[in-house]
Amino acid sequence: MDKIKIIGGKPLNGEIEISGAKNAVLPLMTASLLTDQPLILHRVPNLRDVASLNEVLAELGTVFDYNAENKTLHLHVPTITECVAPYDLVCKMRASILVLGPLLARHGEAKVSLPGGCAIGTRPVDLHINGLQQLGAEIKLVDGYIEAKAPHGLKGANIHFPKVSVGATENIMMAATLAKGDTTLVNVAREPEIIDLGKCLIEMGAEIEGLGTDKITIHGKTFLRGTEHTVIADRIEAGTFLIAGAMTDGNLTLKNSNIMYLDSLIEPLYKAGVEVTGNKSSITVKRINKRLRGVDVMTEPYPGFPTDLQAQMMSMLTIAEGAGMVTETIFENRFMHVPELSRMGADITVHGSSALVRGVDKLKGAEVMASDLRASVSLVLAGLVAEGETIVHRIYHLERGYENIVEKLSSVGAKLELLKEKAA
Ligand code: UD1
């Protein structure tokens, strides 16, 4: 399996271009199932998750063409030829569950494998299923598949989510665009990626109010049309590089990224002694203090601190002066980077959903194992500041969500290389 070798100790200086957001492009791709006209997406990152979802969509009748050079993805589903999303494709990526709502809304029938167990917790899909049932779908769980039917179409409803869920909000919002009548969704997620999806659906002819608030109203339509849409910048990739800049005591500018979506990271960074400035198209990071200081963070739904930046923040706290408490409230079992960071000399004590990180003077390079996407990148960040050589194994996780990360980090002074496993 491929790995990354990092020689720590180089400050990151210069400019990095931020890619389109993984968590925006995946739901946008599934929105193509809602119309028989082409959907053209621009600024689509060349990621393994995008390729995996294209495979799922192709299974359902989507003709797709991805131009990796200009980052444009053409998706066209003239007819839905198959309504089964099989286990072997869905298990590669949980976001495949997002085909359920659109398939059911346009085709009246869908059979989607339950996403398998996931490294960062049990991650159920009950909110997706309950929401679709409230729109009138008949749903059965048979042999590990969600079998859903709405032979007479979906009907608008008032749905109150008992828990905030990004995916369930997206799935039900997409389904409701083709339901008969009005749907009100209460206690929805407010992530910028959901607003981006909503904007694209509106460009496709959907009528949606309240995007970005905790209550969304959708007036159902009989059909949607195709459109062209540019994916928003990846705030998690940007946040990851801001933390990398702070950790390495560099001076880094992120192009094509929007500072507006990163308030919840900028505040703790400021308390830690890091200055972040910028606007809607560029962000710059540099340290104010010689040494970083420990701070507390707690993950929460947007606009709170993102769970997808928790591991990277913990990595930063390992080298800060004093202690910081990291509390994870979104996913259980999302501290798998802790034992790996400890192998590099970090001092971390976990109590339930909180981790107390006592800063050390230096991390030491070691061989470590990536366990999930964000945990992997936290180990790369640790490697950038560790003394000596760090090898991060199982980096296929990284390729799911970080476009050209080795090239991007190398271009600003990091010393790292991808080691391809030789064929046996
Ligand atoms: C999305 C993001 C992921 C991010 C997460 C939280 C994508 C493709 N992925 O994942 O990167 O970490 O939001 O910001 O956008 N839950 C239930 N029942 C459900 C659905 C969710 O109990 O039916 C729970 C989950 O187990 C979790 C919480 O709700 O504890 C939030 O999960 P959710 O927002 O749904 O995450 P995803 O959409 O899977």
Side-chain angles (χ1 to χ4, degrees), residues 242-254:
L242 289 181
I243 294 172
M247 284 175 77
T248 62
D249 199 6
N251 190 336
L252 207 52
T253 296
L254 309 179

Side-chain angles (χ1 to χ4, degrees), residues 40 87 91 117 123 126 158 161 176 199 216 238 242 252 275 301 328 357 376:
I40 300 169
Y87 175 75
C91 71
R123 299 183 88 172
D126 55 315
N158 293 330
F161 289 105
K199 283 185 177 163
I216 295 178
L242 289 181
L252 207 52
E275 185 184 67
E328 173 60 58
V357 189
S376 324

Side-chain angles (χ1 to χ4, degrees), residues 21-98:
K22 170 182 91 71
N23 286 355
V25 78
L26 299 176
L28 284 165
M29 288 166 68
T30 64
S32 67
L33 293 167
L34 291 164
T35 172
D36 61 3
Q37 297 178 14
L39 174 64
I40 300 169
L41 299 174
H42 298 289
R43 204 190 190 189
V44 173
N46 192 3
L47 297 172
R48 183 170 295 187
D49 271 8
V50 170
S52 300
L53 189 55
N54 271 333
E55 271 186 67
V56 176
L57 293 174
E59 186 78 15
L60 307 172
T62 306
V63 182
F64 73 88
D65 178 34
Y66 180 53
N67 183 327
E69 204 128 302
N70 64 21
K71 311 272 181 224
T72 299
L73 177 62
H74 285 245
L75 296 160
H76 190 195
V77 200
T79 50
I80 290 171
T81 55
E82 176 62 74
C83 65
V84 183
Y87 175 75
D88 58 327
L89 297 179
V90 173
C91 71
K92 287 187 193 164
M93 191 191 36
R94 186 185 151 81
S96 312
I97 187 76
L98 295 177

Side-chain angles (χ1 to χ4, degrees), residues 22-23 26 94-95 123-128 163-168 170 191 307-308 330-331 334 374:
K22 170 182 91 71
N23 286 355
L26 299 176
R94 186 185 151 81
R123 299 183 88 172
V125 288
D126 55 315
L127 301 172
H128 299 245
K163 184 170 185 179
V164 177
S165 160
V166 174
E170 292 166 341
E191 267 69 1
T307 176
D308 286 350
I330 309 287
F331 293 112
R334 207 178 193 180
R374 309 302 171 185

Side-chain angles (χ1 to χ4, degrees), residues 12-16 18 238 241-243 245-246 250-259 262 266 269 274-288:
L12 303 187
N13 291 309
E15 283 184 7
I16 294 181
I18 296 302
F241 289 136
L242 289 181
I243 294 172
N251 190 336
L252 207 52
T253 296
L254 309 179
K255 304 306 284 183
N256 285 325
S257 57
N258 191 338
I259 199 168
L262 284 160
I266 292 169
L269 280 182
V274 180
E275 185 184 67
V276 180
T277 52
N279 52 40
K280 284 184 177 171
S281 58
S282 162
I283 313 178
T284 298
V285 62
K286 64 175 194 301
R287 264 198 219 169
I288 313 164

